[in-house]
Amino acid sequence: MKKKMYMYYDEEGDFLEINVGEYTEGYFRDIDEGIAERIDEKTGKVTGIAILGFKKKTKGLKEVQFSLPLNIELSH
């Protein structure tokens, strides 16, 4: 089953969240300083990741690479 990937970035708070599939009830579990994984409450599976201080953590990089199949729908 193909799932959509949702990305949200808050420039003022420098916060990036990436979630796979529809949002469900869940919670964040810290995995490193400023990095947390999103856990589905029912299944216990990881459904996303959140990065606080994203620009700061990627400072100096010319690009951020993703090696996943990537399907992004953007709307304004």
Side-chain angles (χ1 to χ4, degrees), residues 9 14 16 51 53-64:
Y9 180 67
D14 193 17
L16 175 70
I51 304 170
F54 178 73
K55 279 188 179 179
K56 184 177 180 180
K57 287 178 174 32
T58 58
K59 188 176 183 175
L61 296 179
K62 291 185 180 182
E63 62 183 40
V64 177

Side-chain angles (χ1 to χ4, degrees), residues 19-37:
N19 193 68
V20 177
E22 296 295 325
Y23 280 96
T24 59
E25 292 291 321
Y27 58 93
F28 286 101
R29 178 173 53 202
D30 291 336
I31 57 175
D32 202 347
E33 188 175 330
I35 302 174
E37 56 190 5

